[in-house]
Amino acid sequence: VTEDGQDCVPMHDWQTTSFPTCSTMHELSLPQNLRENRFGYLTKGGYNTIFWIMGETEEEKGVLKILSYDSAHTDRNHDRVRRDALISERLTFSCHI
């Protein structure tokens, strides 16, 4: 929905696509990783809070981006997070990034 209340019409399929990774996220033991110094706060920007996380190997390192607690949980912010995750997931292995 635009600022003037009009519905937005997606121009491409990717704009309404998502690839949930909830099961992978639930496999992480954040308290254990925090105790072992493999998880921590990185930064905050826009509407996200970003944490770094290390896996068992160097290839398993990454970031966890969540909607900040002080950001409103609106449909618009939810879609921002979805698009950000989609772009990150699709570009992760790009040779141009």
Side-chain angles (χ1 to χ4, degrees):
V1 177
T2 62
E3 290 180 11
D4 63 357
Q6 300 295 315
D7 283 340
C8 293
V9 178
M11 297 176 70
H12 305 281
D13 288 340
W14 69 263
Q15 292 175 306
T16 58
T17 304
S18 64
F19 300 91
T21 57
C22 295
S23 60
T24 303
M25 294 309 300
H26 288 110
E27 293 174 6
L28 298 174
S29 174
L30 297 182
Q32 178 181 348
N33 285 337
L34 186 59
R35 283 191 303 275
E36 296 174 0
N37 198 31
R38 295 186 307 169
F39 174 77
Y41 174 81
L42 184 62
T43 190
K44 181 178 187 246
Y47 45 86
N48 284 325
T49 301
I50 298 104
F51 299 89
W52 58 269
I53 187 161
M54 292 295 297
E56 298 296 321
T57 67
E58 181 68 19
E59 292 80 29
E60 293 177 344
K61 66 182 178 181
V63 295
L64 174 62
K65 296 172 78 174
I66 62 171
L67 187 64
S68 296
Y69 71 92
D70 57 347
S71 294
H73 287 264
T74 62
D75 288 343
R76 182 180 175 138
N77 283 342
H78 177 79
D79 193 55
R80 286 176 171 161
V81 171
R82 182 197 63 79
R83 282 182 284 137
D84 184 48
L86 175 64
I87 291 165
S88 296
E89 191 273 338
R90 295 282 97 178
L91 294 177
T92 295
F93 297 104
S94 172
C95 63
H96 302 290
I97 303 296

